[in-house]
Amino acid sequence: MTTRAPQFPGAPVVRREARDKVTGTARYAADLAPAGCLYAWTVPATVAAGRVTAVRAVDALAVPGVHSVLTHDNAPELQEPDDPILAVLQDDRVPHHGWPIALVIAESLEAARTGAGELHVEYERDPYDVTLTDDHPGLYTPEEANGGHPAVRVRGDVERALAGASVQVDATYRTVALHNHPMEPHAATAVWADGHLTVHDSSQGSSRVRESLARAFGLDPDRITVVSEHVGGGFGSKGTTRPQAVLAAMAARHTGRPVKMVFPRPQLAEVVGHRAPTIQRVRLGADLDGVLTAVSHEIVTQTSTVKEFVEQAAVPARVMYASPHSRTVHRVTALDVPSPSWMRAPGEASGMYALESAMDELASALGLDPVELRLRNEPETEPDSGRPFSSRGLAACLRDGAARFGWHDRDPRPAARQEGRWLMGTGVASATYPVLVSRSTASAHAARDGALRIAVNATDIGTGARTVLAQIAAEALGVDPEAVRVDIGSTDLPVAPLAGGSSGTASWGWAVHKAATALAARLAEHRPLPADGITTTADTEEETGEESPYARHAFGAHFAETAVDAVTGEVRVRRLLGVYAAGRILNARTARSQFTGGMVMGIGMALTEDCGIDPDFGDFTARDLASYHVPVCADTADIQAHWIEEDDRHLNPMGSKGIGEIGIVGTAAAIGNAVRHATGARLRELPLTPDTLLPYLL
Ligand code: MOS
């Protein structure tokens, strides 16, 4: 207990559940099959808007093994849920294609699926509209964009500044709907026993799931336990409570037996959210030295008729570059589409694609190096708020990345370098992500024999949360991380916020640090320990409730080298290099994997990922991993992540910023800028597929 951890801070400690995961002993939500367990299969609506007028279940119920069929006619009635997407099987309305309209419950998965296929559903169809356009008649300016950001911010007089600028860029960029598609589909196993509901749910935060279930079922939260012990990714799609938790609990209540429900991959697209498509007009004005005088970023995006969700894509333009005149606007229209939601760096990922592409266009127009252009527009304070930055490492990331990448050897002329049939180019883009933190509680316990235990309802969605929390506790206690047991992933543990907004480590870690520090102080006073050991608890309500006088953001720079096949239009990413300034890095191994994971996702966004929406049927066309193309190993040959350690005292006791999302921010722009450099073609719509590029190459 007195040995100081040898390698902390930042040590590349191996994630503690790694062996359990690779050997298959780690238990996920659908791995449990309690005695007497039934299986549920949802029936998705096959029309894009309307009402269910009749459900005939005779044939479904005749399938051997089918136990029951739930529809809005017989499903348990819910209280108004905290998220309207959870009001499933409550009425006959079909708000979008794929909305769950029935649940077939059976003795086996196969029987449930077969039964679902035998259900006869009749609909009354309403006209519908699933197509986003920048002149859509339903467009309106909401009060807020996602994350509580004001929809509109204006400084100065952008129109005048643009008109008077020596150089202008006016370009419109488009991003398509994207899906998170974590490896583990959304799944839940629910058990009601003695008036207590236990749900094993694949979620990014079971405290919130418990709240949702308590509200929907009108139960005291003390009568609900939600467990998310191991979670196979989420990328935002499990950050809010999803219908599987509600449906499994409903089915378990209805049948009086445990029920397991897994959304099959092809159904996920319509029930777990999507990154909303955007149409983004960016206008930049600059003087001949490349100093910005005007920045205008206008977003058009979609939400559903079920709830308002506004992708906050113009928010990063409020942070990035100095400009005396600025205007950032979000407009949205409610279409008959599934509800959009969070997907890794919601807002930043799409918004920075447009802003950083436009910066590249400005650099071209000025004949100025794109790294230099960004350096010339470094703000003294956060442009939108005027607050000082707690730390701002963008310039350092750009300089360090340029040196590592060999940026300055580049011939700036487009389409100047060819290797056989490959047109070669390089591109750069900045990255940013806000520092977010939420209130958490945690406890620390030292047993009489010296065993140390941390308890907090954190969630490990594949990031290594257990491991880094052990490191944080170990540092506070002055022990080796292996000496600390960490219990997470259940609402029976101290309440904690979700793994989302790149805020998990900061939020949980702060509470863990506080509890462990208090425990260390108590341990110093008590020798020997009392029989039942010592427990300390911590709550960071006060610390995290204070509004910081500082603007707090992580920054980064992405450099890409692409090769474009002059014959087929295929784009290959030869090299991708990211440099980040994200405070103190707490675990070099797991952090690197977060950064490179985000970059890989950025490659998908740039080149292949596209849900497609069929205007005739109103549904997503790419609904499995055979048609929704995510990068594979062959697409990610040379990916490097580096970082600049920042000593930022205005964050939390660990000095850390979030790292889970910034890797995807700007990556698609860096790739698009490299493709432009390689070919001379400036495409302004993602993904950059061969069919869209080829016309420019012939
Ligand atoms: Mo992340 S999209 O905030 O889970």
Side-chain angles (χ1 to χ4, degrees):
M1 293 253 319
T2 50
T3 28
R4 173 115 202 122
Q7 324 134 304
F8 200 81
V13 178
V14 174
R15 61 187 71 204
R16 22 185 74 194
E17 71 288 349
R19 178 174 291 272
D20 292 345
K21 283 182 174 169
V22 297
T23 56
T25 56
R27 294 285 152 223
Y28 293 77
D31 289 337
L32 300 140
C37 189
L38 293 165
Y39 297 78
W41 192 276
T42 46
V43 178
T46 56
V47 302
R51 285 190 318 117
V52 175
T53 52
V55 179
R56 228 162 13 94
V58 182
D59 295 344
L61 289 166
V63 171
V66 169
H67 179 286
S68 45
V69 175
L70 289 182
T71 69
H72 67 272
D73 285 328
N74 64 341
E77 199 179 321
L78 300 176
Q79 318 280 320
E80 191 188 341
D82 56 3
D83 184 337
I85 68 134
L86 300 176
V88 281
L89 310 186
Q90 297 302 294
D91 59 41
D92 59 2
R93 177 170 176 247
V94 176
H96 60 75
H97 200 282
W99 177 262
I101 52 144
L103 192 68
V104 178
I105 307 159
E107 301 288 343
S108 70
L109 180 72
E110 292 75 12
R113 185 174 57 195
T114 307
E118 294 295 325
L119 202 70
H120 301 288
V121 185
E122 287 168 25
Y123 301 92
E124 184 181 288
R125 291 159 192 260
D126 287 340
Y128 58 89
D129 179 3
V130 296
T131 308
L132 180 67
T133 57
D134 56 6
D135 60 352
H136 195 280
L139 280 170
Y140 66 96
T141 307
E143 224 157 85
E144 287 185 344
N146 185 27
H149 296 280
V152 180
R153 293 287 291 170
V154 177
R155 267 187 300 115
D157 185 343
V158 153
E159 299 300 336
R160 246 177 86 169
L162 281 168
S166 304
V167 183
Q168 293 131 12
V169 168
D170 181 350
T172 298
Y173 305 88
R174 287 179 160 77
T175 61
V176 292
L178 299 175
H179 278 123
N180 319 56
H181 278 309
M183 280 301 288
E184 183 202 17
H186 293 55
T189 306
V191 183
W192 289 90
D194 307 323
H196 193 94
L197 170 65
T198 302
V199 179
H200 292 260
D201 186 39
S202 182
S203 101
Q204 289 172 230
S206 58
S207 293
R208 174 158 183 173
V209 175
R210 178 168 71 167
E211 271 173 44
S212 299
L213 293 173
R215 177 149 160 187
F217 289 92
L219 285 173
D220 190 316
D222 290 345
R223 290 175 57 198
I224 304 175
T225 301
V226 181
V227 180
S228 302
E229 188 187 357
H230 293 290
V231 180
F235 309 112
S237 69
K238 296 172 183 170
T240 52
T241 311
R242 290 287 159 189
Q244 78 279 354
V246 172
L247 289 166
M250 257 186 188
R253 171 176 266 190
H254 180 79
T255 60
R257 287 171 58 180
V259 174
K260 170 150 74 169
M261 119 130 248
V262 181
F263 275 117
R265 178 77 55 187
Q267 285 187 25
L268 283 185
E270 289 162 327
V271 285
V272 308
H274 61 274
R275 191 195 295 285
T278 59
I279 304 171
Q280 307 183 43
R281 184 178 182 199
V282 182
R283 289 179 295 163
L284 303 175
D287 68 19
L288 290 174
D289 291 329
V291 174
L292 287 165
T293 50
V295 172
S296 173
H297 196 167
E298 296 163 279
I299 311 299
V300 164
T301 188
Q302 73 187 29
T303 186
S304 71
T305 63
V306 177
K307 65 190 252 193
E308 183 180 88
F309 179 95
V310 185
E311 188 81 7
Q312 73 277 33
V315 168
R318 300 172 183 172
V319 175
M320 288 306 296
Y321 303 115
S323 170
H325 303 277
S326 162
R327 186 166 170 272
T328 46
V329 177
H330 301 82
R331 287 187 304 146
V332 67
T333 181
L335 301 178
D336 302 300
V337 293
S339 301
S341 186
W342 303 340
M343 179 164 159
R344 204 172 199 167
E348 285 78 16
S350 33
M352 286 290 276
Y353 163 63
L355 183 64
E356 292 300 297
S357 299
M359 286 295 278
D360 202 64
E361 300 208 35
L362 180 62
S364 298
L366 288 158
L368 185 64
D369 179 81
V371 171
E372 179 59 28
L373 172 65
R374 288 168 172 85
L375 294 174
R376 287 189 191 176
N377 288 288
E378 271 288 279
E380 293 286 318
T381 55
E382 187 183 53
D384 189 57
S385 69
R387 285 182 300 175
F389 288 99
S390 66
S391 56
R392 180 177 166 107
L394 177 60
C397 292
L398 285 163
R399 290 198 178 98
D400 186 66
R404 290 176 184 276
F405 188 79
W407 175 261
H408 296 295
D409 303 338
R410 133 201 238 252
D411 179 343
R413 291 172 304 155
R417 184 156 67 101
Q418 193 155 358
E419 290 177 8
R421 64 197 261 179
W422 297 100
L423 309 173
M424 305 295 295
T426 53
V428 64
S430 304
T432 188
Y433 195 80
V435 171
L436 304 174
V437 66
S438 301
R439 174 188 183 182
S440 182
T441 66
S443 69
H445 177 77
R448 180 143 208 203
D449 65 1
L452 297 165
R453 173 183 181 246
I454 295 293
V456 54
N457 187 21
T459 320
D460 192 324
I461 55 175
T463 54
R466 286 176 180 81
T467 312
V468 77
L469 293 176
Q471 290 177 275
I472 291 166
E475 188 187 33
L477 288 158
V479 300
D480 200 79
E482 279 91 88
V484 184
R485 172 175 153 183
V486 175
D487 288 334
I488 65 167
S490 167
T491 56
D492 289 345
L493 301 167
V495 178
L498 79 162
S502 299
S503 66
T505 300
S507 305
W508 315 317
W510 200 332
V512 165
H513 184 273
K514 194 174 172 183
T517 303
L519 182 63
R522 297 275 304 279
L523 286 173
E525 300 159 5
H526 284 272
R527 295 285 169 192
L529 294 180
D532 53 352
I534 299 177
T535 304
T536 54
T537 58
D539 183 338
T540 59
E541 180 176 20
E542 211 175 300
E543 294 90 333
T544 55
E546 290 164 13
E547 173 92 23
S548 174
Y550 295 95
R552 300 183 296 189
H553 306 270
F555 291 92
H558 289 123
F559 293 80
E561 181 172 44
T562 60
V564 180
D565 188 324
V567 177
T568 67
E570 180 188 14
V571 180
R572 307 291 304 171
V573 175
R574 288 281 175 88
R575 291 191 293 146
L576 192 57
L577 184 146
V579 180
Y580 305 95
R584 189 170 152 219
I585 298 302
L586 301 177
N587 180 322
R589 183 188 302 261
T590 52
R592 173 167 284 112
S593 130
Q594 286 298 296
F595 289 135
T596 56
M599 292 160 82
V600 168
M601 217 158 160
I603 294 177
M605 178 179 177
L607 301 182
T608 54
E609 293 183 40
D610 182 359
C611 305
I613 190 145
D614 186 325
D616 293 329
F617 292 92
D619 56 348
F620 292 119
T621 52
R623 35 179 67 247
D624 57 29
L625 295 177
S627 51
Y628 187 86
H629 292 156
V630 298
V632 297
C633 290
D635 299 316
T636 58
D638 183 353
I639 302 211
Q640 286 186 42
H642 304 274
W643 51 85
I644 287 152
E645 289 273 350
E646 289 180 309
D647 186 16
D648 186 333
R649 308 293 168 87
H650 309 295
L651 302 170
N652 56 52
M654 298 83 69
S656 62
K657 296 177 179 176
I659 57 170
E661 288 162 275
I662 193 167
I664 194 176
V665 180
T667 305
I671 293 169
N673 295 342
V675 167
R676 195 269 168 183
H677 183 228
T679 63
R682 172 69 68 185
L683 274 65
R684 299 189 179 89
E685 183 166 354
L686 297 179
L688 304 171
T689 50
D691 57 311
T692 57
L693 251 178
L694 206 49
Y696 296 91
L697 305 179
L698 297 175

